[in-house]
Every structure is written in structure tokens, then in C-alpha cells.
Amino acid sequence: MNKRLSVNHILGIRQLQPDDIRLILDTAVQFKDVINRPIKKVPSLRDITVANLFFENSTRTRTSFELAEKRLSADTVNFSASTSSVKKGETLIDTVNNILAMKVDMVVMRHPNPGACMFLSRHINASIINAGDGAHEHPTQALLDAFSIREKLGDLEGKKVAIIGDILHSRVALSNIYLLRKMGAQVMVCGPTTLIPKYISSLGVKVEHDLRKALKWCDVANMLRIQLERQDIKYFPSLREYSMQFGLTMELLEQAGKDILIMHPGPINRGVEITSEVADSSQSIILNQVENGVAVRMACLYLLASRAEN
Ligand code: NCD
């Protein structure tokens, strides 16, 4: 297998080849070993400076990237839009070029606009990792989800993954669909008609509106939050009604009659898309996903940095 990524940036899963995905996941296995050792740090990124540019709120993803960078011995600078000159009318390119002028090598960026990372990659020389661009892609989340499935169930080929919830506004859904299809998994999306985009079946996924049927079908259920902050109109009558139809409960899991792996990218809205009982059950790997996120992001940073070196 090729030991180098075919890309200079990780903008989306769409741009990655199956070999890139395999390389990132295999490299992450080694980094997971590293972060479970008493001495968790390696010198791989010692001379590299990474800027974390967060134009949108984040807890998990931001902390995970920061930790990944620290474990690799990189120097980091953190920028958040709420405390910056963006509020004074500066453009994205000017903001980033000013940061790069301070000799920054890599950029991790979360931005509310779809395509913001792609746009930036055409104007700056540093490698960019997309940490979520609007409702478009969230590649490192899909990679850590894939890593977590592989760790529990083995190869992704042929596995049945149901992505349940607000598909329309979810960057996690789109990146997961691209990745799982590229790696030969079967994908179903499930949710209210209004929250499933019409084009979705052209990506090779099944569409289901009955949660019971989706659970009967799948090996893995990836539960998504309703992205209320991205919804300009009402897509369903009330959260209560949504959770009655699409909320995952212990009772539904028992009715499915098999051990389904439960995932969620976080933040969880307990009692809406998933009950506390399910989120905290032995079938749930939600916290494993968070742990794996650091190893997967270390792999992405390391592989992009070693590509830039050569
Ligand atoms: C997701 C995101 O920000 O897209 N969360 C995450 O990165 N862990 C999903 C969400 O916000 O619901």
C-alpha cells in the first residue's frame, strides 16, 4: 500500500482515495498505542506550528485536535472568531494570511460556510484540515467513526450502517456516507422526510423513514443531533414528536433483537435522539469515539506534515 497521502490537504472525504483512508486508519492504530502509554508524547511534529482556527463553536473537535497536536510535540496557536478581528470586518484570507505570516505550517479550520476550507486551500500554501465546514463535510469525524467501527467489528466491507436523524443539515452524515461507500460498507439514512435531502439516494444509500425497520437492518446505528442552529424553518412539529418517532430507546433496541453498535458524534441531546439509558449502555461506543478521535487526528496531522516535508 502507498505510504503517502495522495492529497496535500484533508478538505473532505470526497477527495480521499480508499488507500488514503486505509493509510490514515492504520497509522491511527499506531498512535492509539502511543496515547495509551505512560509517556504519551512523540517528537514527530517538533518543528511544526499548527493554527487552530475556529470560526464556529466546538468542544470535542477543538480539544481533540489540540491534544493530538500536543501529543505530536507541535507548537500550536488557537484562534476563535468570537474574540478576533473578524468581528471588525476582516476577510477570511486576510485573517489567515496574517496568522501564516507568523510562520505557521498547518491550519485546522472550522467554519460555518460550506467550502470555506476548499476556498482557503486555493489561496494559501499551508496544509489545511477541515474540522467542519457548515453542513458540508467533517472528514476527521467520519475517519474516527470508521476507526471505531473497524475496532469493534473488523473490516468495513459489507457492514450495514444506519445514520439516523437530521441528515439534511449534517456534515457528519455526508462525510460518513462518502467514507463508508468508498470502503464498501452499506449505508442507510433514516429520519423524517423533511430532513432527508432528495439527492441522497444518488450517493448509493438506502432511505428509510421507519426507525424500527432501520434497526432491524443495521449492524451500527449512528445517531445524529437535530441541528436546530442550522434550521431556518420548522422541519417537524415538535422535539417531543421527533423523539417519539426517531428517538432511540432501550425498548426499540431490544425489539431489534441483536447487538447493534450505538454511535453518536456528540453533543448528545439526551431524551431527544437517544435516551440516557441507551447512550450509557454497554452497546454504546460514544466515549470510545472520543478517545479514538485523538489518535485519528494525530494520524492526519502526521501524514500531512510528512507529505509537506518531502
Ligand atoms: C458534530 C459537528 O460539529 O458537526 N459534532 C462534532 O464534531 N463532534 C455534530 C453536531 O454538532 O451535532
Side-chain angles (χ1 to χ4, degrees), residues 8-28:
N8 292 324
H9 310 278
I10 298 182
L11 302 175
I13 299 295
R14 193 172 176 187
Q15 290 82 17
L16 298 182
Q17 304 297 326
D19 269 354
D20 293 323
I21 295 168
R22 247 171 250 125
L23 176 60
I24 294 170
L25 299 182
D26 292 345
T27 309

Side-chain angles (χ1 to χ4, degrees), residues 10-279:
I10 298 182
L11 302 175
I13 299 295
R14 193 172 176 187
Q15 290 82 17
L16 298 182
Q17 304 297 326
D19 269 354
D20 293 323
I21 295 168
R22 247 171 250 125
L23 176 60
I24 294 170
L25 299 182
D26 292 345
T27 309
V29 173
Q30 294 167 35
F31 281 126
K32 186 161 178 180
D33 267 0
V34 169
I35 56 180
N36 280 304
R37 286 186 206 148
I39 297 167
K40 299 178 174 55
K41 239 172 147 148
V42 286
S44 321
L45 257 63
R46 208 172 41 201
D47 294 320
I48 303 279
T49 305
V50 187
N52 299 307
L53 312 184
F54 279 71
F55 293 86
E56 213 187 59
N57 295 344
S58 168
T59 318
R60 253 160 301 271
T61 306
R62 184 181 177 140
T63 318
S64 182
F65 268 111
E66 278 184 47
L67 262 180
E69 291 150 9
K70 290 194 161 66
R71 302 280 191 249
L72 291 167
S73 309
D75 291 322
T76 60
V77 282
N78 294 320
F79 161 98
S80 83
S82 52
T83 54
S84 73
S85 292
V86 175
K87 291 259 182 269
K88 301 179 190 167
E90 191 171 59
T91 66
L92 177 61
I93 294 183
D94 282 339
T95 304
V96 176
N97 270 332
N98 273 278
I99 293 168
L100 293 180
M102 300 178 221
K103 305 282 174 261
V104 167
D105 307 288
M106 290 172 81
V107 171
V108 172
M109 185 168 86
R110 171 167 285 194
H111 199 282
N113 293 348
C117 293
M118 173 79 74
F119 170 76
L120 205 60
S121 71
R122 300 203 174 119
H123 292 92
I124 66 170
N125 287 324
S127 287
I128 303 173
I129 301 183
N130 179 3
D133 59 336
H136 180 220
E137 278 226 42
H138 192 353
T140 58
Q141 181 68 45
L143 287 160
L144 76 89
D145 290 344
F147 183 96
S148 307
I149 297 173
R150 226 177 62 155
E151 195 173 50
K152 295 287 176 193
L153 303 181
D155 200 46
L156 294 168
E157 175 97 41
K159 297 290 172 314
K160 294 178 175 167
V161 182
I163 306 174
I164 298 160
D166 182 356
I167 310 300
L168 183 64
H169 301 98
S170 173
R171 51 194 174 209
V172 176
L174 190 60
S175 288
N176 261 278
I177 291 170
Y178 284 141
L179 189 152
L180 292 164
R181 296 297 299 132
K182 283 184 190 212
M183 303 311 280
Q186 299 183 56
V187 184
M188 174 185 281
V189 293
C190 175
T193 323
T194 48
L195 289 177
I196 297 193
K198 299 234 174 349
Y199 70 82
I200 207 87
S201 44
S202 69
L203 301 180
V205 307
K206 297 177 198 303
V207 177
E208 179 57 69
H209 302 293
D210 181 338
L211 180 57
R212 281 187 173 76
K213 288 189 185 154
L215 293 173
K216 275 249 169 321
W217 176 84
C218 71
D219 305 312
V220 179
N222 195 351
M223 307 304 298
L224 302 181
R225 183 176 67 89
I226 296 289
Q227 309 265 309
L228 284 175
E229 73 277 24
R230 295 190 210 288
Q231 299 185 3
D232 42 357
I233 57 165
K234 264 188 163 273
Y235 289 86
F236 48 86
S238 70
L239 277 182
R240 187 165 172 274
E241 178 153 340
Y242 176 84
S243 83
M244 281 169 67
Q245 278 204 50
F246 295 100
L248 187 55
T249 63
M250 237 24 203
E251 195 189 335
L252 285 172
L253 271 185
E254 277 155 20
Q255 279 171 18
K258 53 179 176 168
D259 267 349
I260 299 170
L261 209 61
I262 308 300
M263 302 175 67
H264 194 308
I268 300 176
N269 284 158
R270 289 176 183 257
V272 181
E273 69 275 9
I274 190 168
T275 61
S276 280
E277 225 189 334
V278 176

